[in-house]
Amino acid sequence: MRGGILHLPPGTQLGTATDTQVERLNEVNRAIHRRLMDEGRWHLHQFTLLDDPGHIRRGAVLARCGSCLASSAS
């Protein structure tokens, strides 16, 4: 499976997220990444994404997990 994931916590205001909401979004997504890596079933590459289109907030830097690949040790 290839693709990307980005969890949006409840209350995230799409297009107009505050600095606090963007940081909370990044914290949650980093925690998801850490947990998946610790479990050892999945391999994900984490990278940042500049929100040029303004889906969360134009210009925000988002921590995102992408390139989801199941590990062979399932």
Side-chain angles (χ1 to χ4, degrees):
M1 176 179 160
R2 298 187 89 169
I5 59 171
L6 179 68
H7 172 75
L8 297 176
T12 303
Q13 302 297 314
L14 298 179
T16 59
T18 65
D19 287 342
T20 301
Q21 289 171 321
V22 169
E23 183 51 36
R24 177 67 182 140
L25 174 65
N26 287 334
E27 289 172 4
V28 168
N29 282 288
R30 284 190 294 264
I32 291 169
H33 181 260
R34 265 191 314 275
R35 182 169 177 183
L36 289 169
M37 296 303 289
D38 288 347
E39 288 177 359
R41 183 173 178 194
W42 301 96
H43 177 75
L44 284 87
H45 297 282
Q46 187 172 31
F47 53 91
T48 57
L49 176 69
L50 184 59
D51 188 10
D52 287 335
H55 297 294
I56 305 300
R57 189 187 73 225
R58 187 173 305 281
V61 177
L62 307 171
R64 176 179 167 196
C65 302
S67 302
C68 307
L69 300 172
S71 74
S72 58
S74 48

XYZ file of all heavy atoms in Angstrom:
571
model
N 0.848 -1.170 0.000
C 0.000 0.000 0.000
C 0.895 1.234 0.000
O 1.835 1.319 0.768
C -0.880 -0.025 1.244
C -1.735 1.181 1.389
S -2.737 1.004 2.884
C -3.142 2.694 3.147
N 0.602 2.162 -0.833
C 1.337 3.424 -0.851
C 0.348 4.551 -0.684
O -0.756 4.494 -1.192
C 2.068 3.585 -2.179
C 3.098 2.490 -2.401
C 3.882 2.782 -3.581
N 4.993 3.583 -3.067
C 6.049 3.887 -3.775
N 6.145 3.518 -5.011
N 7.021 4.575 -3.262
N 0.749 5.565 -0.006
C -0.126 6.706 0.203
C 0.382 7.511 1.368
O 1.518 7.386 1.782
N -0.453 8.306 1.921
C -0.080 9.114 3.062
C -1.243 9.225 4.014
O -2.388 9.045 3.628
N -0.936 9.499 5.273
C -1.980 9.686 6.266
C -1.709 10.976 7.013
O -0.572 11.393 7.190
C -2.057 8.508 7.259
C -0.729 8.324 7.992
C -2.505 7.240 6.576
C -0.785 7.323 9.126
N -2.763 11.607 7.428
C -2.676 12.803 8.255
C -3.940 12.829 9.089
O -5.035 12.946 8.551
C -2.573 14.063 7.401
C -2.489 15.390 8.140
C -1.152 15.507 8.884
C -2.638 16.555 7.181
N -3.812 12.630 10.386
C -4.960 12.636 11.282
C -5.320 14.076 11.621
O -4.455 14.883 11.952
C -4.639 11.865 12.563
C -5.710 11.989 13.595
N -6.910 11.317 13.488
C -5.774 12.719 14.723
C -7.668 11.622 14.518
N -6.999 12.481 15.281
N -6.599 14.394 11.566
C -7.083 15.717 11.954
C -7.876 15.585 13.247
O -8.979 15.036 13.240
C -7.978 16.316 10.862
C -7.311 16.570 9.524
C -8.336 17.064 8.511
C -6.180 17.561 9.662
N -7.320 16.046 14.370
C -8.055 15.966 15.635
C -9.350 16.783 15.580
O -9.430 17.768 14.846
C -7.091 16.575 16.655
C -5.756 16.556 16.016
C -6.001 16.649 14.541
N -10.345 16.380 16.368
C -11.587 17.163 16.422
C -11.288 18.617 16.777
O -10.400 18.894 17.584
C -12.384 16.488 17.544
C -11.832 15.102 17.622
C -10.383 15.217 17.246
N -11.990 19.517 16.149
C -11.813 20.941 16.422
C -10.829 21.634 15.502
O -10.697 22.851 15.550
N -10.109 20.883 14.655
C -9.195 21.506 13.707
C -10.006 22.289 12.688
O -10.894 21.744 12.056
C -8.336 20.448 12.990
O -7.624 19.684 13.956
C -7.342 21.102 12.041
N -9.720 23.554 12.579
C -10.452 24.421 11.661
C -9.771 24.413 10.301
O -8.740 25.048 10.117
C -10.531 25.849 12.216
C -11.182 25.942 13.575
C -12.628 25.489 13.537
O -13.398 25.872 12.659
N -13.001 24.658 14.493
N -10.345 23.685 9.366
C -9.735 23.573 8.038
C -9.641 24.930 7.367
O -10.599 25.698 7.351
C -10.537 22.597 7.176
C -10.582 21.169 7.698
C -11.416 20.298 6.777
C -9.180 20.607 7.851
N -8.480 25.207 6.826
C -8.242 26.447 6.097
C -7.879 27.629 6.971
O -7.287 28.582 6.494
N -8.233 27.563 8.246
C -7.968 28.700 9.131
C -7.439 28.244 10.495
O -7.657 28.910 11.491
C -9.246 29.535 9.356
O -10.253 28.690 9.945
C -9.765 30.122 8.069
N -6.744 27.116 10.536
C -6.231 26.588 11.806
C -5.283 27.586 12.462
O -4.495 28.250 11.793
C -5.532 25.254 11.587
N -5.374 27.675 13.767
C -4.481 28.549 14.529
C -3.117 27.884 14.686
O -2.968 26.682 14.432
C -5.064 28.818 15.929
O -5.090 27.582 16.654
C -6.456 29.411 15.841
N -2.120 28.658 15.148
C -0.797 28.083 15.418
C -0.909 26.932 16.415
O -0.251 25.901 16.264
C 0.156 29.145 15.979
C 0.616 30.130 14.923
O 0.492 29.835 13.725
O 1.121 31.204 15.314
N -1.740 27.107 17.445
C -1.935 26.068 18.457
C -2.524 24.810 17.834
O -2.089 23.695 18.135
C -2.847 26.586 19.585
O -2.245 27.739 20.168
C -3.077 25.533 20.654
N -3.499 24.958 16.949
C -4.107 23.801 16.291
C -3.117 23.097 15.370
O -3.077 21.867 15.325
C -5.353 24.213 15.512
C -6.512 24.583 16.409
C -7.660 25.196 15.640
O -7.454 25.969 14.707
N -8.864 24.853 16.046
N -2.297 23.856 14.655
C -1.297 23.257 13.764
C -0.282 22.475 14.592
O 0.068 21.338 14.249
C -0.591 24.328 12.897
C 0.622 23.751 12.181
C -1.577 24.919 11.897
N 0.174 23.031 15.716
C 1.139 22.326 16.557
C 0.512 21.070 17.157
O 1.145 20.022 17.217
C 1.684 23.229 17.667
C 2.745 22.555 18.519
C 3.876 21.912 17.711
O 4.298 22.440 16.676
O 4.341 20.828 18.134
N -0.739 21.147 17.597
C -1.425 19.965 18.136
C -1.555 18.896 17.052
O -1.345 17.711 17.305
C -2.802 20.354 18.680
C -3.602 19.198 19.195
C -2.968 18.587 20.437
N -3.776 17.444 20.851
C -3.297 16.312 21.290
N -1.999 16.155 21.433
N -4.081 15.332 21.635
N -1.889 19.306 15.850
C -1.981 18.391 14.717
C -0.644 17.682 14.502
O -0.597 16.460 14.337
C -2.386 19.171 13.465
C -2.412 18.463 12.143
C -3.482 17.388 12.140
C -2.685 19.457 11.030
N 0.442 18.425 14.542
C 1.772 17.841 14.367
C 2.117 16.889 15.509
O 2.677 15.813 15.281
C 2.828 18.939 14.237
C 2.751 19.638 12.902
O 2.291 19.065 11.916
N 3.193 20.875 12.858
N 1.781 17.264 16.751
C 2.042 16.395 17.904
C 1.311 15.064 17.763
O 1.895 13.997 17.995
C 1.598 17.072 19.195
C 2.468 18.224 19.624
C 1.869 18.991 20.799
O 0.804 18.575 21.332
O 2.457 20.009 21.185
N 0.039 15.111 17.394
C -0.764 13.893 17.247
C -0.195 13.014 16.145
O -0.047 11.792 16.321
C -2.242 14.246 16.966
C -3.026 13.033 16.514
C -2.881 14.877 18.192
N 0.167 13.590 15.017
C 0.690 12.805 13.907
C 2.066 12.214 14.208
O 2.365 11.097 13.818
C 0.672 13.613 12.613
C -0.729 13.655 12.054
O -1.226 12.654 11.553
N -1.389 14.795 12.167
N 2.903 12.945 14.959
C 4.191 12.381 15.373
C 3.979 11.223 16.344
O 4.684 10.210 16.287
C 5.083 13.461 15.984
C 5.701 14.382 14.927
C 6.758 15.289 15.516
N 6.215 16.251 16.458
C 5.875 17.501 16.155
N 6.020 17.947 14.911
N 5.393 18.300 17.073
N 2.994 11.339 17.240
C 2.701 10.259 18.190
C 2.183 9.020 17.461
O 2.554 7.891 17.809
C 1.678 10.732 19.228
N 1.342 9.206 16.456
C 0.854 8.084 15.645
C 2.038 7.402 14.971
O 2.152 6.173 14.978
C -0.179 8.554 14.602
C -1.471 8.981 15.291
C -0.449 7.459 13.567
C -2.450 9.698 14.377
N 2.931 8.180 14.398
C 4.107 7.629 13.724
C 4.959 6.823 14.700
O 5.365 5.696 14.408
C 4.920 8.755 13.085
C 6.129 8.271 12.366
N 7.387 8.332 12.924
C 6.277 7.704 11.144
C 8.263 7.831 12.073
N 7.615 7.439 10.979
N 5.235 7.406 15.882
C 6.044 6.710 16.893
C 5.404 5.375 17.284
O 6.093 4.359 17.384
C 6.192 7.573 18.148
C 7.443 8.389 18.195
C 7.682 9.016 19.563
N 6.508 9.648 20.149
C 6.119 10.894 19.893
N 6.802 11.644 19.051
N 5.061 11.396 20.477
N 4.109 5.382 17.514
C 3.436 4.154 17.938
C 3.492 3.081 16.849
O 3.770 1.917 17.127
C 1.995 4.440 18.319
C 1.291 3.204 18.802
C -0.018 3.485 19.428
N -0.653 2.228 19.787
C -1.841 2.142 20.302
N -2.528 3.237 20.541
N -2.365 0.971 20.591
N 3.237 3.469 15.622
C 3.292 2.500 14.524
C 4.693 1.923 14.372
O 4.861 0.717 14.149
C 2.829 3.140 13.216
C 1.336 3.443 13.133
C 1.043 4.309 11.906
C 0.520 2.166 13.091
N 5.699 2.766 14.499
C 7.075 2.281 14.381
C 7.422 1.363 15.553
O 8.050 0.325 15.367
C 8.053 3.454 14.304
C 7.877 4.323 13.061
S 8.018 3.430 11.510
C 9.765 3.106 11.512
N 7.000 1.719 16.755
C 7.281 0.909 17.939
C 6.622 -0.467 17.847
O 7.186 -1.458 18.312
C 6.809 1.610 19.215
C 7.665 2.806 19.592
O 8.769 2.963 19.022
O 7.214 3.598 20.444
N 5.427 -0.525 17.261
C 4.732 -1.806 17.126
C 5.447 -2.730 16.147
O 5.322 -3.944 16.229
C 3.286 -1.586 16.686
C 2.423 -1.013 17.786
C 1.008 -0.727 17.341
O 0.663 -0.958 16.157
O 0.220 -0.264 18.184
N 6.189 -2.179 15.200
C 6.998 -2.969 14.293
C 6.262 -3.660 13.159
O 6.870 -4.395 12.391
N 4.972 -3.448 13.034
C 4.222 -4.094 11.947
C 4.254 -3.265 10.668
O 4.124 -3.800 9.581
C 2.787 -4.321 12.395
C 1.972 -5.037 11.359
C 0.620 -5.415 11.852
N -0.102 -6.051 10.755
C -1.379 -6.266 10.740
N -2.111 -5.916 11.782
N -1.955 -6.825 9.710
N 4.406 -1.981 10.799
C 4.371 -1.072 9.652
C 5.677 -0.305 9.555
O 6.347 -0.072 10.559
C 3.223 -0.062 9.804
C 1.902 -0.713 9.918
C 1.231 -1.001 11.081
C 1.080 -1.185 8.862
N 0.056 -1.611 10.796
C -0.077 -1.744 9.443
C 1.211 -1.204 7.473
C -1.096 -2.295 8.693
C 0.185 -1.752 6.721
C -0.945 -2.285 7.330
N 6.001 0.111 8.349
C 7.147 0.991 8.128
C 6.619 2.236 7.436
O 6.024 2.148 6.364
C 8.200 0.314 7.254
C 9.337 1.229 6.964
N 10.296 1.519 7.915
C 9.641 1.949 5.874
C 11.149 2.377 7.393
N 10.785 2.649 6.160
N 6.793 3.372 8.065
C 6.330 4.631 7.497
C 7.485 5.613 7.459
O 8.272 5.696 8.402
C 5.223 5.253 8.361
C 3.867 4.620 8.247
C 3.752 3.475 9.223
C 2.797 5.643 8.520
N 7.555 6.375 6.395
C 8.512 7.475 6.301
C 7.752 8.715 6.727
O 6.666 8.974 6.250
C 9.020 7.647 4.867
C 9.761 6.463 4.375
N 11.064 6.202 4.743
C 9.385 5.457 3.562
C 11.450 5.087 4.167
N 10.452 4.612 3.447
N 8.322 9.468 7.651
C 7.683 10.697 8.085
C 8.390 11.867 7.424
O 9.613 11.906 7.359
C 7.739 10.830 9.602
C 6.946 12.015 10.110
C 6.862 12.023 11.620
O 7.760 11.573 12.306
N 5.795 12.562 12.134
N 7.626 12.793 6.926
C 8.206 13.962 6.296
C 7.304 15.157 6.541
O 6.163 15.011 6.956
C 8.411 13.745 4.786
C 7.185 13.288 4.051
C 6.317 14.198 3.471
C 6.893 11.934 3.935
C 5.195 13.771 2.793
C 5.773 11.498 3.248
C 4.917 12.426 2.679
N 7.840 16.337 6.338
C 7.041 17.545 6.501
C 6.418 17.930 5.176
O 6.893 17.564 4.106
C 7.891 18.706 7.038
O 8.978 18.919 6.154
C 8.402 18.417 8.436
N 5.359 18.668 5.281
C 4.602 19.085 4.117
C 4.218 20.544 4.309
O 3.632 20.907 5.333
C 3.343 18.211 4.006
C 2.342 18.524 2.926
C 2.941 18.209 1.556
C 1.090 17.704 3.135
N 4.567 21.388 3.375
C 4.170 22.785 3.413
C 2.766 22.889 2.843
O 2.510 22.422 1.728
C 5.149 23.648 2.613
C 4.908 25.151 2.658
C 4.966 25.674 4.095
C 5.927 25.870 1.799
N 1.858 23.460 3.595
C 0.453 23.560 3.175
C 0.251 24.770 2.264
O -0.409 25.742 2.626
C -0.450 23.631 4.402
C -1.925 23.536 4.065
O -2.249 23.220 2.908
O -2.748 23.773 4.960
N 0.831 24.690 1.064
C 0.670 25.783 0.094
C -0.788 26.011 -0.306
O -1.213 27.148 -0.425
C 1.512 25.525 -1.159
C 2.992 25.727 -0.902
O 3.342 26.485 0.021
O 3.792 25.111 -1.623
N -1.577 24.919 -0.534
C -2.965 25.139 -0.941
C -3.854 25.674 0.177
O -4.946 26.150 -0.087
C -3.457 23.758 -1.375
C -2.259 22.891 -1.496
C -1.208 23.507 -0.624
N -3.426 25.572 1.428
C -4.213 26.115 2.535
C -5.303 25.193 3.044
O -6.321 25.659 3.536
N -5.100 23.873 2.950
C -6.111 22.934 3.444
C -6.277 23.045 4.955
O -7.389 22.985 5.459
C -5.752 21.498 3.074
C -5.719 21.269 1.601
N -6.845 21.350 0.811
C -4.698 20.985 0.772
C -6.519 21.108 -0.447
N -5.208 20.899 -0.494
N -5.174 23.188 5.667
C -5.204 23.375 7.115
C -5.044 24.860 7.419
O -5.869 25.469 8.075
C -4.080 22.575 7.812
C -4.147 21.096 7.439
C -4.124 22.773 9.322
C -5.422 20.386 7.816
N -3.954 25.440 6.930
C -3.713 26.890 6.962
C -2.601 27.179 5.978
O -1.516 26.598 6.057
C -3.304 27.361 8.359
C -3.272 28.905 8.409
C -2.722 29.446 9.693
N -1.281 29.238 9.712
C -0.612 28.775 10.746
N -1.217 28.449 11.860
N 0.693 28.625 10.682
N -2.834 28.051 5.052
C -1.853 28.371 4.022
C -0.508 28.705 4.659
O -0.409 29.522 5.558
C -2.333 29.546 3.173
C -1.435 29.821 1.978
C -2.006 30.868 1.040
N -3.339 30.556 0.566
C -3.626 29.691 -0.417
N -2.653 29.050 -1.014
N -4.864 29.477 -0.789
N 0.540 27.968 4.200
C 1.891 28.204 4.675
C 2.277 27.420 5.917
O 3.433 27.455 6.320
N 1.320 26.708 6.531
C 1.640 25.925 7.722
C 2.558 24.770 7.338
O 2.464 24.221 6.242
C 0.361 25.378 8.356
N 3.457 24.406 8.253
C 4.337 23.258 8.047
C 3.762 22.109 8.864
O 3.624 22.208 10.085
C 5.784 23.564 8.479
C 6.661 22.335 8.324
C 6.332 24.725 7.656
N 3.412 21.029 8.172
C 2.751 19.898 8.800
C 3.674 18.690 8.852
O 4.380 18.410 7.888
C 1.485 19.530 8.021
C 0.510 20.683 7.778
C -0.573 20.256 6.817
C -0.070 21.166 9.088
N 3.662 17.966 9.965
C 4.373 16.694 10.089
C 3.420 15.623 9.590
O 2.328 15.482 10.093
C 4.762 16.429 11.536
N 3.845 14.883 8.589
C 2.960 13.912 7.962
C 3.696 12.584 7.811
O 4.879 12.551 7.576
C 2.555 14.435 6.583
C 1.713 13.478 5.803
C 1.352 14.109 4.486
N 0.815 13.072 3.624
C 0.683 13.184 2.332
N 1.058 14.276 1.726
N 0.183 12.227 1.616
N 2.951 11.523 7.938
C 3.495 10.192 7.674
C 3.085 9.817 6.264
O 1.961 10.050 5.861
C 2.947 9.155 8.633
S 3.274 9.531 10.352
N 3.990 9.223 5.519
C 3.650 8.840 4.167
C 4.367 7.571 3.769
O 5.125 7.003 4.535
N 4.129 7.113 2.562
C 4.731 5.888 2.040
C 4.509 4.712 2.985
O 5.436 4.062 3.437
C 6.236 6.075 1.791
O 6.441 7.132 0.885
N 3.259 4.460 3.319
C 2.914 3.370 4.229
C 3.182 2.034 3.561
O 2.668 1.752 2.500
C 1.442 3.436 4.606
S 0.917 5.036 5.236
N 3.997 1.207 4.203
C 4.321 -0.111 3.676
C 4.213 -1.134 4.797
O 4.793 -0.935 5.865
C 5.752 -0.144 3.109
C 6.053 0.821 1.982
C 7.551 0.790 1.681
C 5.273 0.443 0.737
N 3.486 -2.211 4.558
C 3.417 -3.278 5.557
C 4.772 -3.950 5.635
O 5.412 -4.191 4.615
C 2.343 -4.295 5.173
N 5.206 -4.259 6.842
C 6.494 -4.946 6.986
C 6.313 -6.422 6.691
O 5.214 -6.950 6.720
C 7.036 -4.757 8.402
O 6.308 -5.556 9.297
N 7.397 -7.112 6.419
C 7.318 -8.546 6.127
C 7.212 -9.360 7.408
O 7.006 -10.559 7.358
C 8.550 -8.969 5.334
O 9.717 -8.674 6.054
N 7.318 -8.711 8.542
C 7.260 -9.424 9.821
C 5.861 -9.383 10.415
O 5.690 -9.204 11.600
C 8.261 -8.815 10.774
N 4.810 -9.535 9.615
C 3.462 -9.435 10.153
C 2.947 -10.719 10.713
O 3.391 -11.766 10.628
C 2.501 -8.926 9.104
O 2.635 -9.588 7.896
